[in-house]
């Protein structure tokens, strides 16, 4: 067994077969800890090369007092440490999508206007410059220290200005989709967990929830939508695992922070009942709007009625002070809604799409062919790049 903890990646073996580990070996401890309680470390499962990806919280979640705090590192099977990305603030979880690309959650604070799901790609900067001094150690792997972002700017403004900057793939609107994004897991159960195969699920510690994310790649960058999924977990939802046979396990704690779930800790399992809920399945960006797909056949009159929908947009300030309110609000016009020939989709033609904004869509008027309302009518799409 391999474990990522605050100070290292360790390997544990049971050499005598009694069911308990008796050999403990440090695989790599190339980063440091100062003793601050906030210096978390989250490690991935093995990637396609056998590497473990580790995201390291800043000291106190604000500064980088010791090497590689605020960085993503890879630990190879031989135990070598490879600096991979800078710009981490306060991660809550890490995991891979169905292609093996690695994502982590970062939390609201300085340079993070709201919590987000971010794609980790070698050489990229994820937004927080607090750990930039460690480019002196990482330069053989990544090259010289990049230019810092400008406080008070916007995410996509900085993405265009800074070649190494990777904007958030999905921003989780603060309070609307929780306040402490955490565990990351992809459904690879091939339908054993329901209709959301290959989608990514994310826990939220404060709200004791699990969210659902649909991702697509536009102009070489991941972006997509988040949807509510399940609430009511007993403690603060943190660790997340979906097994191949379709069981979701949620580990929770309220240690250090309060949570909607009042228990001090919990481990809970979610089973699919076999009944498909009526949900927005996917929300895809188009040059002139969005395409929605649904888990059930839809009532054509409701899905083609533009009054069934409402949309607004906003973004967040990229700044050195803590968090950000929603800013730059707009109200796009939904000009038409055309049902797809499959009976389970609709094309929304929209005037006023906004680059770099969350597009908050409410589809309260949509009904299934059986007259059911959507279980969750809200969707939040982070539109960083337009399809060509």
């Amino acid at each position: 067994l391999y474990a990522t903890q605050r100070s290292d990646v360790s390997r544990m073996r049971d050499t005598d077969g009694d069911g308990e580990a008796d050999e403990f070996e440090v695989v790599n401890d190339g980063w440091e800890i100062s003793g601050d309680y906030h210096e978390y470390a989250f490690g991935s499962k093995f990637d396609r090369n056998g590497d473990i990806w580790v995201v390291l919280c800043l000291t106190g979640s604000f500064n980088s007092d010791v090497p590689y705090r605020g960085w993503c590192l890879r630990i190879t099977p031989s135990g070598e440490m490879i600096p991979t990305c800078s710009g981490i603030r306060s991660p809550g979880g890490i995991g891979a999508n169905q292609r093996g690309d690695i994502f982590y959650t970062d939390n609201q604070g300085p340079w993070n206007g709201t919590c987000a799901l971010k794609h980790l790609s070698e050489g990229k900067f994820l937004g927080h410059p607090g750990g930039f001094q460690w480019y002196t150690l990482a330069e053989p792997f990544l090259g010289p220290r990049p230019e810092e972002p400008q406080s008070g700017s916007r995410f996509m403004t900085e993405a265009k200005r800074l070649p190494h900057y990777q904007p958030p793939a999905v921003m989780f609107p603060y309070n609307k989709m929780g306040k402490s994004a955490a565990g990351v897991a992809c459904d690879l159960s091939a339908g054993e967990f329901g209709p959301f195969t290959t989608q990514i699920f994310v826990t939220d510690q404060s709200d004791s929830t699990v969210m659902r994310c649909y991702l697509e790649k536009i102009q070489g960058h991941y972006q997509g939508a988040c949807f509510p999924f399940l609430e009511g977990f007993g403690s603060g939802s943190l660790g997340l695992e979906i097994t191949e046979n379709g069981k979701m396990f949620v580990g929770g704690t309220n240690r250090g922070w309060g949570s909607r779930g009042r228990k001090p800790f919990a481990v809970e399992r979610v089973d699919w009942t076999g009944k498909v809920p009526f949900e927005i399945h996917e929300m895809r960006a188009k040059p002139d709007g969005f395409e929605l797909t649904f888990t059930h056949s839809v009532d054509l009159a409701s899905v083609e009625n533009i009054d069934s929908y409402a949309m607004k947009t906003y973004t967040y300030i990229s700044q050195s002070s803590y968090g950000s309110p929603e800013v730059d609000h707009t109200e796009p016009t939904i000009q038409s809604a055309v049902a797809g020939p499959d009976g389970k989709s609709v094309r929304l033609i929209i005037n006023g799409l906004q680059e770099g904004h969350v597009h908050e869509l409410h589809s309260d008027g949509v009904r299934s062919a059986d007259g059911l309302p959507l279980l969750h009518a809200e969707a939040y799409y982070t539109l960083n790049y337009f399809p060509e």
Side-chain angles (χ1 to χ4, degrees):
L1 297 176
Y2 287 73
T4 299
Q5 52 190 352
R6 287 162 61 94
S7 59
D8 59 62
V9 172
S10 288
R11 179 164 47 225
M12 297 165 280
R13 289 193 183 97
D14 172 16
T15 62
D16 57 13
D18 67 353
E20 295 183 0
D22 48 62
E23 182 178 286
F24 298 83
E25 180 184 1
V26 173
V27 178
N28 186 279
D29 61 354
W31 66 90
E32 294 187 20
I33 55 175
S34 72
D36 182 90
Y37 81 102
H38 217 126
E39 288 178 335
Y40 307 125
F42 292 88
S44 72
K45 297 180 181 180
F46 300 110
D47 70 5
R48 60 176 67 91
N49 298 318
D51 297 345
I52 292 175
W53 296 56
V54 180
V55 281
L56 300 172
C57 185
L58 289 166
T59 306
S61 76
F62 286 92
N63 306 304
S64 186
D65 293 349
V66 292
Y68 290 120
R69 285 287 153 188
W71 282 70
C72 170
L73 312 169
R74 281 176 293 156
I75 311 303
T76 70
S78 64
E80 179 188 7
M81 185 185 78
I82 302 175
T84 302
C85 306
S86 67
I88 314 298
R89 180 191 171 257
S90 183
I94 187 170
N97 68 358
Q98 78 277 18
R99 296 188 179 96
D101 294 328
I102 308 294
F103 295 80
Y104 85 105
T105 51
D106 214 334
N107 278 269
Q108 187 206 47
W111 301 103
N112 287 268
T114 190
C115 302
L117 181 70
K118 300 184 179 185
H119 175 215
L120 292 164
S121 182
E122 187 171 4
K124 293 298 185 180
F125 165 59
L126 280 303
H128 196 301
F132 268 15
Q133 68 262 44
W134 308 122
Y135 273 97
T136 57
L137 303 177
E139 188 166 346
F141 299 93
L142 297 179
R145 170 176 171 160
E147 183 182 350
E148 294 197 12
Q150 294 179 354
S151 183
S153 184
R154 301 293 186 266
F155 298 107
M156 286 309 297
T157 302
E158 295 305 291
K160 292 176 179 178
R161 193 177 68 86
L162 303 173
H164 294 94
Y165 179 70
Q166 180 72 43
V170 175
M171 291 190 282
F172 302 117
Y174 201 72
N175 282 327
K176 299 173 181 176
M177 290 292 285
K179 296 186 286 291
S180 300
V184 178
C186 184
D187 178 9
L188 301 177
S189 69
E192 294 295 315
F193 187 64
F196 304 115
T197 300
T198 72
Q199 295 193 9
I200 287 180
F201 293 80
V202 173
T203 59
D204 187 86
Q205 191 273 336
S206 288
D207 279 8
S208 304
T209 58
V210 174
M211 305 175 277
R212 175 171 61 89
C213 299
Y214 167 73
L215 293 174
E216 58 184 350
K217 217 167 190 181
I218 304 293
Q219 296 188 39
H221 299 269
Y222 281 107
Q223 63 184 38
C226 60
F227 313 86
F229 182 67
L230 280 178
E231 59 183 342
F233 291 91
S235 188
S237 303
L238 195 69
L240 184 63
E241 170 71 5
I242 303 175
T243 65
E244 290 184 359
N245 64 345
K247 307 296 182 183
M248 174 184 280
F249 289 88
V250 180
T253 181
N254 68 3
R255 180 175 179 267
W257 286 266
S259 59
R260 185 179 293 173
R262 304 310 302 164
K263 295 180 180 179
F265 56 86
V267 178
E268 297 169 282
R269 192 184 81 212
V270 179
D271 296 339
W272 182 39
T273 64
K275 183 178 180 180
V276 176
F278 182 43
E279 295 270 34
I280 299 173
H281 186 246
E282 297 174 348
M283 183 175 181
R284 304 190 189 110
K286 299 294 181 182
D288 56 356
F290 293 97
E291 180 182 50
L292 307 181
T293 64
F294 301 93
T295 56
H296 287 195
S297 296
V298 293
D299 168 67
L300 293 182
S302 68
V303 84
E304 291 192 329
N305 183 355
I306 60 173
D307 293 332
S308 293
Y309 310 94
M311 177 173 279
K312 59 183 176 181
T313 86
Y314 44 85
T315 189
Y316 298 89
I317 306 170
S318 177
Q319 59 186 353
S320 58
S321 55
Y322 199 99
S324 167
E326 294 177 6
V327 296
D328 305 339
H329 286 81
T330 71
E331 293 188 6
T333 302
I334 299 176
Q335 297 179 313
S336 66
V338 181
D342 59 0
K344 298 177 72 173
S345 63
V346 63
R347 275 280 276 116
L348 301 179
I349 308 301
I350 299 172
N351 182 35
L353 298 176
Q354 300 294 321
E355 180 186 65
H357 281 217
V358 173
H359 288 65
E360 179 177 323
L361 175 68
H362 293 261
S363 304
D364 298 88
V366 171
R367 295 292 182 268
S368 72
D370 296 327
L372 294 173
L374 287 161
L375 183 60
H376 298 102
E378 308 83 26
Y380 305 88
Y381 191 101
T382 300
L383 186 64
N384 293 330
Y385 299 93
F386 289 94
E388 296 176 342

